[in-house]
Amino acid sequence: MKMSGGVEWGLHCCVVLSGAGAPVTAAKLAELHDVSQSYLAKQLQLLSRAGLVRSTLGQSGGYVLTRAANEITVLDVVEAIDGVQPAFRCTEVRQRGPMAVPAERCDTPCPIARTMDSADRAWRESLRRVTIADLIADVNRTTPPEILSGAREWLRA
Amino acid sequence: MKMSGGVEWGLHCCVVLSGAGAPVTAAKLAELHDVSQSYLAKQLQLLSRAGLVRSTLGQSGGYVLTRAANEITVLDVVEAIDGVQPAFRCTEVRQRGPMAVPAERCDTPCPIARTMDSADRAWRESLRRVTIADLIADVNRTTPPEILSGAREWLRA
DNA sequence: TTGACTCGGATAACTGTTGTCCGAATAGAA
DNA sequence: TTCTATTCGGACAACAGTTATCCGAGTCAA
Ligand code: SF4
Ligand code: SF4
């Protein structure tokens, strides 16, 4: 089980975008994080489709957040990039084989599916509690100020 | 993000093994669930390595649970088959690029990694609360008795 | 009007998962 | 004790999903 690595990039991009007032291009973001700009573009497309960021075309274009940082949860980003379907997918094994349970008795989800679903919900709920604003606050507290201002300056250039 | 489909089979096998007093072969389990016996064997190997089941070779051999059903949690099975490493893996983006944070300042995990780790722990904790015995109790409650006894009889043959 | 710059979706390479096979080891029967 | 039928175990391919890339359509500023 492996989550898309693009989630990490997406979260970093949201944090950076929140700090920069002007639109930032995908190329800039890619260079700042030293990752493939083509692939990062794909992740930004996903964020755009989910309505988390808005893209501006043409010169001096780029990406901007559509909402305030405290209105975007980590779960929003994860679901935008990694998808919304849960990790566990039941294949209805109980309806196959010689001792199959008839389909009309399978109206209620089996205990296995319920357990997995409950765990998945706990996971998502945990991610929903943290917003981009929380991340920013933590970054501001733990990162040397000269690096923060330097990065902001580098973005503007 | 997708969990190994073998988890579902592994859980079903644990439930079945708990009901059968005698060792059950991989071929029987595969036919009962109507899945590839070669691939199911692979999953059973993983359960064996994790110490959840014990294999007996030779004639009248097969698999048996090593512990009581209420001593085996769903998390045990998941971790045995799907692995123990969390879905999110940090690539330390912050140490790369023009505005890299120096490595000596990265002693504490960043907020993103902490958030993901917390959610992963909540997920695992939720799975740890349910045991195979709980699953069995639920199955006994919701499955027609004739199918249960029929399956047990079919296994013996 | 021009022009250059932006994102967007369609297109390949790669890693991880799924599925299969045959050999080593064992328990029971002769 | 020997032999054989039967079992599991790890090594070997096929598939899918993820990762990475490219070029064209559309847009804003000059
Ligand atoms: S018993 Fe549960 S996990 Fe198994 S096939 Fe049915 S719904 Fe899926
Ligand atoms: S900031 Fe967090 S998620 Fe990003 S690279 Fe560093 S540790 Fe990983």
Side-chain angles (χ1 to χ4, degrees):
Chain A
M1 185 171 51
K2 182 170 166 292
M3 176 189 299
S4 169
V7 170
E8 187 175 356
W9 304 359
L11 287 169
H12 274 263
C13 285
C14 285
V15 170
V16 171
L17 285 179
S18 173
V24 184
T25 71
K28 277 274 176 194
L29 288 168
E31 192 182 353
L32 177 64
H33 298 76
D34 189 24
V35 296
S36 154
Q37 78 246 28
S38 310
Y39 189 35
L40 182 66
K42 195 177 184 57
Q43 318 300 343
L44 290 169
Q45 280 177 40
L46 292 171
L47 291 180
S48 180
R49 277 190 212 166
L52 295 178
V53 302
R54 178 61 59 187
S55 65
T56 317
L57 259 58
Q59 269 184 339
S60 75
Y63 289 96
V64 192
L65 293 181
T66 58
R67 301 180 236 159
N70 62 353
E71 292 291 332
I72 301 178
T73 70
V74 173
L75 180 64
D76 290 329
V77 177
V78 168
E79 290 191 333
I81 293 180
D82 202 56
V84 295
Q85 62 184 339
F88 177 82
R89 262 157 280 178
C90 169
T91 49
E92 286 294 341
V93 174
R94 63 179 167 181
Q95 293 187 22
R96 301 163 54 183
M99 284 304 131
V101 176
E104 60 266 23
R105 299 287 313 204
C106 291
D107 46 359
T108 60
C110 89
I112 295 178
R114 270 205 307 264
T115 304
M116 292 297 181
D117 196 56
S118 170
D120 194 79
R121 229 170 315 173
W123 180 70
R124 290 192 145 79
E125 193 53 44
S126 182
L127 291 180
R128 198 200 314 276
R129 284 198 203 96
V130 183
T131 69
I132 300 293
D134 296 329
L135 297 179
I136 292 171
D138 202 313
V139 167
N140 285 341
R141 198 167 349 103
T142 58
T143 311
E146 63 266 23
I147 289 185
L148 257 64
S149 58
R152 200 165 296 182
E153 194 57 39
W154 184 89
L155 273 180
R156 203 178 305 277
Chain B
M1 183 171 51
K2 181 169 167 292
M3 175 189 298
S4 169
V7 170
E8 187 175 357
W9 304 358
L11 287 169
H12 273 262
C13 286
C14 285
V15 170
V16 171
L17 285 179
S18 172
V24 184
T25 71
K28 276 273 177 195
L29 288 169
E31 192 182 353
L32 178 63
H33 298 73
D34 188 26
V35 296
S36 154
Q37 77 247 28
S38 310
Y39 190 32
L40 182 67
K42 197 180 185 54
Q43 319 299 343
L44 289 169
Q45 281 176 37
L46 292 171
L47 291 179
S48 180
R49 278 189 211 166
L52 295 178
V53 303
R54 180 60 61 187
S55 65
T56 317
L57 260 59
Q59 272 183 338
S60 75
Y63 289 95
V64 191
L65 292 182
T66 57
R67 301 180 234 160
N70 61 355
E71 292 291 331
I72 301 179
T73 69
V74 173
L75 180 64
D76 290 330
V77 178
V78 170
E79 290 192 332
I81 292 180
D82 201 58
V84 294
Q85 62 183 339
F88 177 83
R89 263 156 277 177
C90 170
T91 49
E92 287 295 339
V93 175
R94 63 178 168 181
Q95 293 186 24
R96 300 163 56 184
M99 284 303 131
V101 176
E104 60 266 24
R105 299 285 311 206
C106 292
D107 46 359
T108 62
C110 88
I112 296 178
R114 269 205 307 262
T115 304
M116 293 297 182
D117 196 56
S118 171
D120 194 79
R121 229 172 312 173
W123 180 70
R124 290 192 144 80
E125 194 53 43
S126 180
L127 291 179
R128 199 199 314 275
R129 284 198 201 96
V130 183
T131 70
I132 299 293
D134 297 327
L135 298 179
I136 292 171
D138 201 311
V139 167
N140 285 340
R141 198 166 349 105
T142 59
T143 310
E146 63 266 24
I147 289 186
L148 258 63
S149 58
R152 201 166 295 182
E153 195 57 40
W154 183 88
L155 273 179
R156 203 176 306 277

